[in-house]
Amino acid sequence: MLVEKVTTLLRHFLNFQQLKQLHTLILVHDLNHLNGLLIHQLITSQSTYSQNISHYLRSILLHLKQPDAGSATSVIRYFCTHTRFQEAFALYVELHTSGFVPSTFSVASALKACARTGNKNGGTMIHGDLAKAEELFSSMTNKDVVSWNSMVSGYSRNGDMDKALSLFQEMPERKLSSWNAMISGYVECGKVGLARNFYNSMPERNSISCITMIGGYSKCGDVESARELFSKMDRKDHLLYNAMITCYAKNSRPKEALHLFSEMIEPNVKVQPDKMTLATVTSACSQLGELSFGSWIHDCYMKQLGIAMDDHLCTALVYLYAKCGSIDTAFNLFHKLNKKDVVAYTSMILGCGLNGKEQIAIKLFDEMMESNIRPNLLTFTGVLTALSHVGMVEESYHCFNSMKKYGLVPTPDHYSLMVEILGRAGRLEEAHDLIKGMPMKPHAGVWGALLLACSTHNNVELGETAAKHCFELEADNSGYGSLLANIYAGAGRWEDAKRLRNSIHEKGLVKIPGSSWMDHMQA
DNA sequence: TTAGGGTTAG
């Protein structure tokens, strides 16, 4: 009697409070099988993400003695559709450790969350669950397209394209989304050519197929192929524009990104941008140091379109303002973030480090460490840049050496910064030793930093060594020759200086503005 | 009652 009553009630539209009351009823009367329905209603009654609901959903699931796969999948998907991939994956791990038996659907959802958070280790963990899911799948009597697709996407997200392909070929009725899952898998493992073969042989395509391909070309730097596919699409929605604008921005072609954006909003095209478009366009502005266009987006355009701020867009603006030296505005936005993550902190640290606010950059880094936010390679670029400007050698060493604590391997750029720091302090031999001990081949920027230091400290011998490497690595950059000539002149070796300057002149080399070590200082 | 494919920030 009660069961029917609660079930009927659950099929009606109820608000959060009413659903909570029903949940109490379910708990008291041990009507566990109704939890799935309750969870579904809780999710569908919400149009936006809410912290409240999210906590509540988690607690319902985790208090179940045996959470069913359907409910678990619904909640994981709730997090995913609201781009809370970390929460989605964390929930899956929690369920897993409490003995939850995964289904094909829950595995596919968890893998999606994993892929979007860049969590490779998680993918490996789920691999084991995938085998269980496959068992479950083979025992299913009436497999529908959704279950087939879940298996295909499960394997393709896990990088097992052989299995994904054989399942795909076995599928009785392939849908558009099945093809898209295959394309996405090949793109993910860097096989963009194979992805393109699939794309070409598809019976029909939608904008998702095209977006996936553009993303693949973007990742491998093939902007031209991306543009070719983009141009061929006759109906272009804002998602397609977003993908292409992102492709330009990610491949350091910010001008083309802005150009395509202006094309998108032209009166005769008039595709409505969303917050993703604006986040990407803001990023293109940052690359160009184009503050006026970016602040127009912030001050006018968002209001005009009725687009609300979100953390991604806000972070893009934080970096724009910080990089352009408007540290106060950057800070105001930074404090408005719902969640200050590694990207937000790094944006502030980089911006402050570049604009003479070194102490603030260092303070932000400490604050970030105290909040247990894991730094990444770019965070260290930011903090080392700040430290280099104030000449804090021992702190820099400490910082540089702490990278491995976070599983980070310093890149040649980080070595460049250390060489610059040691060089400024006049510790040239030490800088040279650091270069000699590098586990990878130093690029011209590393030797360039040493060469620059040798010129400020008048060290001819080491300067010659550094210059020799620079010439080898970047033969067409005359900046290095000029630096060495200055060193000769400073040491009174006028003949050598003259000889070098003449040879630069003869080769017709023009000093390239912003050589690579300058880029490191200004990037 | 639910479950599958894509694009955003340093």
Side-chain angles (χ1 to χ4, degrees):
Chain A
M1 219 21 216
L2 182 68
V3 183
E4 277 113 50
K5 220 171 168 181
V6 176
T7 313
T8 316
L9 275 171
L10 276 175
R11 289 185 203 284
H12 286 84
F13 182 80
L14 300 167
N15 65 30
F16 185 36
Q17 283 311 321
Q18 294 166 322
L19 287 166
K20 263 182 141 174
Q21 285 167 8
L22 284 180
H23 183 223
T24 317
L25 220 62
I26 289 172
L27 283 180
V28 173
H29 298 278
D30 213 19
L31 308 172
N32 276 324
H33 65 286
L34 290 179
N35 274 308
L37 184 52
L38 177 82
I39 286 172
H40 172 70
Q41 290 298 341
L42 267 168
I43 291 172
T44 48
S45 67
Q46 304 295 313
S47 55
T48 53
Y49 178 83
S50 132
Q51 198 82 40
N52 236 345
I53 302 286
S54 121
H55 281 308
Y56 197 59
L57 286 169
R58 279 188 68 243
S59 73
I60 297 177
L61 262 190
L62 293 168
H63 284 95
L64 289 176
K65 282 191 201 86
Q66 197 93 68
D68 65 293
S71 310
T73 311
S74 299
V75 181
I76 292 171
R77 279 191 48 76
Y78 171 74
F79 284 122
C80 285
T81 50
H82 293 94
T83 65
R84 307 278 164 148
F85 299 106
Q86 272 167 12
E87 280 104 320
F89 183 64
L91 175 66
Y92 183 84
V93 173
E94 267 181 288
L95 287 168
H96 187 265
T97 46
S98 61
F100 162 72
V101 180
S103 69
T104 60
F105 310 117
S106 57
V107 171
S109 299
L111 276 165
K112 178 179 186 170
C114 250
R116 298 296 295 270
T117 49
N119 190 342
K120 297 277 180 238
N121 296 336
T124 320
M125 187 206 88
I126 292 178
H127 188 86
D129 290 13
L130 198 51
K132 280 184 224 163
E134 196 187 7
E135 249 174 69
L136 198 136
F137 174 74
S138 7
S139 69
M140 278 169 76
T141 45
N142 46 352
K143 303 180 176 92
D144 60 356
V145 188
V146 179
S147 53
W148 274 102
N149 271 354
S150 294
M151 279 316 296
V152 170
S153 88
Y155 280 119
S156 103
R157 285 179 188 286
N158 215 30
D160 194 341
M161 288 315 289
D162 292 342
K163 283 220 172 183
L165 179 61
S166 67
L167 272 173
F168 176 81
Q169 284 164 339
E170 271 179 56
M171 274 182 83
E173 27 163 317
R174 288 169 208 141
K175 277 182 53 171
L176 188 51
S177 50
S178 329
W179 287 86
N180 286 343
M182 290 300 292
I183 295 181
S184 155
Y186 283 121
V187 159
E188 201 49 51
C189 60
K191 292 177 176 163
V192 73
L194 286 173
R196 181 60 188 264
N197 291 346
F198 264 81
Y199 184 84
N200 289 343
S201 27
M202 283 173 85
E204 51 163 347
R205 305 180 189 102
N206 62 4
S207 87
I208 292 184
S209 333
C210 187
I211 289 164
T212 314
M213 281 308 305
I214 290 176
Y217 283 128
S218 177
K219 253 178 227 146
C220 66
D222 188 352
V223 182
E224 269 53 53
S225 299
R227 179 74 206 207
E228 175 225 318
L229 284 188
F230 176 79
S231 309
K232 276 189 193 158
M233 297 291 284
D234 30 63
R235 280 196 56 230
K236 299 186 182 80
D237 57 12
H238 73 283
L239 303 172
L240 204 53
Y241 270 102
N242 285 359
M244 194 60 223
I245 294 173
T246 302
C247 176
Y248 281 131
K250 278 265 161 75
N251 285 283
S252 310
R253 290 163 70 157
K255 281 186 184 162
E256 284 152 289
L258 293 184
H259 189 260
L260 190 59
F261 172 67
S262 59
E263 181 191 306
M264 173 183 181
I265 60 174
E266 263 174 29
N268 58 332
V269 181
K270 219 175 182 179
V271 174
Q272 176 96 334
D274 65 358
K275 47 184 78 170
M276 286 188 189
T277 326
L278 299 190
T280 310
V281 168
T282 304
S283 154
C285 289
S286 304
Q287 290 177 41
L288 293 165
E290 174 56 67
L291 183 60
S292 56
F293 193 59
S295 54
W296 167 75
I297 289 176
H298 180 207
D299 297 328
C300 311
Y301 197 53
M302 281 175 64
K303 285 186 199 101
Q304 199 181 311
L305 292 183
I307 289 178
M309 188 70 87
D310 77 340
D311 278 5
H312 274 95
L313 179 50
C314 191
T315 307
L317 287 164
V318 164
Y319 183 64
L320 174 73
Y321 284 111
K323 193 189 172 191
C324 297
S326 302
I327 302 292
D328 291 343
T329 316
F331 252 117
N332 282 336
L333 285 165
F334 180 72
H335 291 308
K336 280 184 189 155
L337 286 166
N338 294 312
K339 199 174 163 203
K340 297 181 183 68
D341 65 359
V342 58
V343 184
Y345 268 103
T346 305
S347 302
M348 282 305 298
I349 292 168
L350 279 165
C352 290
L354 291 169
N355 285 288
K357 310 277 181 189
E358 291 84 10
Q359 298 303 338
I360 301 179
I362 295 162
K363 204 171 146 246
L364 280 163
F365 181 74
D366 292 339
E367 192 183 302
M368 184 179 153
M369 295 295 98
E370 278 162 29
S371 320
N372 285 320
I373 297 169
R374 217 181 155 80
N376 60 28
L377 289 171
L378 234 82
T379 319
F380 281 100
T381 302
V383 73
L384 286 173
T385 305
L387 288 167
S388 80
H389 291 172
V390 283
M392 296 167 80
V393 181
E394 300 317 316
E395 287 81 356
S396 302
Y397 260 128
H398 176 74
C399 192
F400 182 78
N401 291 330
S402 75
M403 288 177 75
K404 60 171 175 287
K405 263 201 321 216
Y406 300 98
L408 300 172
V409 180
T411 68
D413 287 0
H414 296 98
Y415 279 96
S416 280
L417 283 161
M418 280 308 292
V419 169
E420 196 185 308
I421 290 161
L422 291 168
R424 281 195 191 185
R427 291 156 71 160
L428 301 177
E429 286 302 336
E430 213 174 317
H432 190 205
D433 289 342
L434 186 72
I435 299 177
K436 284 190 285 189
M438 277 173 71
M440 74 290 276
K441 193 176 156 61
H443 60 36
V446 179
W447 288 110
L450 183 62
L451 179 58
L452 181 69
C454 290
S455 100
T456 38
H457 293 280
N458 303 314
N459 187 321
V460 180
E461 198 190 332
L462 208 49
E464 280 179 328
T465 308
K468 191 172 141 265
H469 284 100
C470 290
F471 296 156
E472 275 170 22
L473 293 163
E474 265 180 31
D476 54 352
N477 186 338
S478 67
Y480 302 126
S482 306
L483 269 176
L484 183 60
N486 290 348
I487 296 177
Y488 284 140
R493 287 169 60 173
W494 308 109
E495 278 308 309
D496 288 324
K498 199 174 158 192
R499 183 177 47 80
L500 196 56
R501 285 189 178 127
N502 284 341
S503 85
I504 293 168
H505 191 71
E506 273 166 30
K507 279 188 201 155
L509 293 174
V510 183
K511 191 173 179 348
I512 298 169
S515 56
S516 48
W517 43 267
M518 284 294 281
D519 287 341
H520 292 303
M521 288 154 61
Q522 293 167 349

